[in-house]
Amino acid sequence: MNAFAPSLETIERLVSPERPVSAFVHDLDELDRHARQLVSALPPEVDFFYAIKANNDALILKTLAPIVAGFEVASVGEIRKVREAVGSGARIIMGGPARTATDFEAVIDHAVERVHIESIHLLHLAEAVAAAQNVTLSILLRINLTGPVPGATITMGGKPTQFGIDEGEIDEAISTLVACPHLRCEGFHLHTVSNNLDATAHADFCLEALRRARRIADRHGLDLRIVNLGGGWGVDYADIDRLFDFERLATRLRSVIEPDGPRIQFECGRIMVAYCAVYVSEVVDVKTNHGEAFALLRGGSHHFRLPSAWRHRHPFRVVEREKWPWKWPRRGHANRCVTVTGELCTPKDVLLCAEPFSRLRIGDLVCFLLAGAYGWDISHHDFLSNAHPERIFLPIRQAQGHLSKVEGKGEI
Ligand SMILES: *Cc1c(COP(=O)(O)O)cnc(C)c1O
């Protein structure tokens, strides 16, 4: 079992006893173990970066810093978060589609190692900023591959999207480099697939992307030093024990790595942090309306937007609690389908849709597993201005400084 799933005793030891439970709980030891397992599977020619948009908490970045090659960021704010959490020594690479001159200035100011360029206009803009400061910027060209791309199911590329330079325009982009003496193009970036559950299909995609990168470089006599194959290693929310087969991907990569070939980079977010956290929330009311059963949580999609954003069934556990402090009888649902919603005044605030429960009562906890990636970080925290969840990081001793910063948090 890879998923962190704390017991009732652990949850009750950690959360504030004074109000209904609403918390993200992270296990940093589990994150450390999982990250080492992923990174150590890869051949030495491969660098594994962490894409911080999945979860940019400082304690997550600090935990990963000694394990990963560096951090992939997509904004100046993310550059600052890395620098503040792990200092000036961390390697940073930057991507993202809608760059401005300010972004390229920040790349220079914060010593970002390399920036991924997504259009011909942005090549000119990066050159102008670098020339004005008389520095050289290392870049990769992000290619939006001409489809069909083998192994690419949910894609950012291989189909019309706002990302990257169309493969049909890549010759023009490389010709533009002649007019950009302050840019050093070291290769290509091909983040194309999101949440790929099939490691064999992902390996097919990676090998094809490497072939195309090699072909384009050869056509232009470009010294191909780096091919970044993006992120997209999947997390199976429907089968939490089935881990993406990264060993298989690594084996396929080993079969094509040449000693004098380019360095290969990955920049994964989801697979790195999904498993290490839960979002746990207390049922604060139950009701039946128009024949359908509902349970309402202290929290909702403003804390944990992933299930509604992806419209998927998110894995969860019910953590039953016997404590009942009130004089009136405790209400609940038994042996029926219940829709679990949050506290927002919108019918869209649904976390679980008509899910069968043997029992779910006011005061029980619903614990969403695999909540570490794209959970808190993609949610609209201040819509309706409800109190934020507690954000708790185990092991507790290491995390104490952080805990004390959480507003209203009592002593543990
Ligand atoms: C989001 C993103 C990633 C990380 O993707 P995961 O699916 O979380 O691994 C990597 N690179 C780019 C360019 C991205 O936009």
Side-chain angles (χ1 to χ4, degrees):
M1 171 95 159
N2 302 293
F4 171 52
S7 64
L8 176 62
E9 292 67 37
T10 303
I11 294 167
E12 290 199 322
R13 183 167 52 82
L14 295 170
V15 299
S16 164
E18 289 139 31
R19 56 192 92 122
V21 175
S22 184
F24 278 91
V25 185
H26 301 72
D27 184 341
L28 298 176
D29 285 341
E30 167 60 22
L31 175 63
D32 178 280
R33 191 198 59 74
H34 177 68
R36 287 180 196 280
Q37 190 187 12
L38 288 180
V39 172
S40 65
L42 292 168
E45 296 81 0
V46 178
D47 288 328
F48 191 105
F49 288 78
Y50 170 56
I52 83 160
K53 77 171 188 273
N55 186 329
N56 65 37
D57 193 278
L59 287 168
I60 299 279
L61 303 183
K62 281 192 215 290
T63 302
L64 292 178
I67 304 167
V68 296
F71 299 93
E72 191 264 354
V73 303
S75 70
V76 176
E78 287 192 342
I79 297 176
R80 288 207 188 94
K81 284 188 169 161
V82 175
R83 287 285 176 248
E84 278 161 22
V86 295
S88 57
R91 294 172 63 191
I92 303 180
I93 55 178
M94 185 181 199
R99 292 277 77 96
T100 64
T102 312
D103 294 328
F104 293 122
E105 284 158 8
V107 162
I108 297 166
D109 290 348
H110 293 276
V112 170
E113 176 175 307
R114 195 170 300 97
V115 57
H116 309 144
I117 302 287
E118 301 219 9
S119 76
I120 291 173
H121 166 70
L122 291 178
L123 271 179
H124 290 296
L125 188 61
E127 167 63 22
V129 172
Q133 302 206 23
N134 199 24
V135 296
T136 301
L137 281 184
S138 283
I139 65 159
L140 301 181
L141 295 176
R142 180 170 180 186
I143 306 175
N144 188 327
L145 293 169
T146 303
V149 182
T153 39
I154 310 162
T155 61
M156 271 18 99
K159 66 170 191 188
T161 66
Q162 70 270 47
F163 302 111
I165 302 168
D166 191 286
E167 195 175 352
E169 276 191 23
I170 205 72
D171 291 341
E172 186 187 343
I174 294 173
S175 308
T176 305
L177 286 169
V178 176
C180 302
H182 297 85
L183 302 184
R184 181 172 57 243
C185 180
E186 299 188 285
F188 302 108
H189 180 278
L190 300 115
H191 175 69
T192 303
V193 189
S194 184
N195 205 32
N196 200 347
L197 302 179
D198 182 342
T200 302
H202 204 69
D204 289 343
F205 155 71
C206 291
L207 268 48
E208 172 68 10
L210 282 166
R211 261 195 299 277
R212 292 210 207 172
R214 163 64 64 206
R215 207 179 326 137
I216 295 165
D218 286 350
R219 198 158 70 223
H220 291 272
L222 190 96
D223 182 16
L224 186 64
R225 302 175 67 94
I226 294 169
V227 178
N228 183 317
L229 297 168
W233 299 15
V235 168
D236 195 339
Y237 294 99
D239 182 358
I240 63 169
D241 293 326
R242 183 175 160 265
L243 193 57
F244 180 81
D245 192 351
F246 49 88
E247 306 271 3
R248 178 183 297 252
L249 174 61
T251 303
R252 292 281 300 282
L253 285 172
R254 272 195 200 91
S255 73
V256 298
I257 284 171
E258 308 155 79
D260 55 348
R263 281 200 79 73
I264 294 169
Q265 297 182 339
F266 288 102
E267 44 182 40
C268 294
R270 187 185 306 274
I271 195 170
M272 187 61 104
V273 289
Y275 296 95
C276 74
V278 297
Y279 172 56
V280 56
S281 188
E282 180 168 334
V283 176
V284 292
D285 203 359
V286 295
K287 62 180 69 171
T288 303
N289 263 347
H290 294 263
E292 287 189 23
F294 293 87
L296 290 78
L297 299 178
R298 164 70 260 280
S301 58
H302 52 320
H303 298 170
F304 188 53
R305 200 168 75 86
L306 180 61
S308 55
W310 275 54
R311 295 175 195 281
H312 75 181
R313 179 186 178 277
H314 201 90
F316 70 96
R317 300 272 185 276
V318 174
V319 181
E320 294 203 336
R321 282 207 302 186
E322 295 318 314
K323 211 164 69 185
W324 179 252
W326 311 109
K327 292 200 183 74
W328 55 89
R330 186 175 183 182
R331 297 176 71 93
H333 296 300
N335 298 317
R336 66 180 302 185
C337 289
V338 179
T339 292
V340 176
T341 68
E343 63 198 355
L344 300 181
C345 308
T346 158
K348 294 201 186 304
D349 189 19
V350 171
L351 286 95
L352 292 165
C353 202
E355 192 68 40
F357 285 88
S358 55
R359 191 157 78 158
L360 188 61
R361 302 161 298 175
I362 299 173
D364 285 335
L365 307 179
V366 181
C367 182
F368 293 90
L369 309 175
L370 277 54
Y374 304 112
W376 173 250
D377 293 70
I378 66 162
S379 304
H380 41 295
H381 311 145
D382 290 324
F383 180 44
L384 267 102
S385 303
N386 286 293
H388 288 181
E390 296 178 72
R391 292 174 44 72
I392 295 166
F393 295 80
L394 299 167
I396 201 73
R397 238 172 300 122
Q398 187 177 325
Q400 256 164 358
H402 194 78
L403 273 172
S404 63
K405 277 195 262 163
V406 177
E407 194 201 340
K409 185 80 191 83
E411 291 299 314
I412 301 290

